[in-house]
């Protein structure tokens, strides 16, 4: 199922990072991208793209450009 809302989208990206850390524990850093949908109002749905990165100690996440469906 497609993630809905910023919270679910970010959670999906961090889950991808966690999987990468489990499967490649010796990597220097981990990056993940997750896309999902957000209901803006009754007539508008946007596609959001979350990007996450960590080196195992510092974490950062943000949303890239969005577009309307």
């Amino acid at each position: 199922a497609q993630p809905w809302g910023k919270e679910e989208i970010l959670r999906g990206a961090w889950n991808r990072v966690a999987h990468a850390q489990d499967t490649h524990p010796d990597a220097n850093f981990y990056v993940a991208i997750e896309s999902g949908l957000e209901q803006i109002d009754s007539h508008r749905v946007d596609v959001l793209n979350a990007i996450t990165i960590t080196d195992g100690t510092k974490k950062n996440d943000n949303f890239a450009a969005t577009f309307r469906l």
Side-chain angles (χ1 to χ4, degrees):
Q2 192 68 37
W4 277 88
K6 289 179 180 176
E7 200 171 298
E8 277 189 31
I9 298 166
L10 278 176
R11 187 173 339 128
W14 284 115
N15 286 342
R16 291 178 186 279
V17 164
H19 178 72
Q21 288 173 310
D22 289 344
T23 56
H24 303 284
D26 296 328
N28 293 320
F29 62 94
Y30 305 90
V31 178
I33 300 171
E34 180 80 14
S35 296
L37 303 171
E38 182 170 51
Q39 187 80 42
I40 304 301
D41 58 37
S42 61
H43 301 290
R44 181 175 161 197
V45 173
D46 283 358
V47 176
L48 303 179
N49 302 289
I51 301 168
T52 55
I53 186 169
T54 185
D55 64 1
T57 56
K58 296 180 275 183
K59 293 182 173 183
N60 196 359
D61 55 47
N62 213 327
F63 287 91
T66 64
F67 59 92
R68 185 174 299 166
L69 287 182

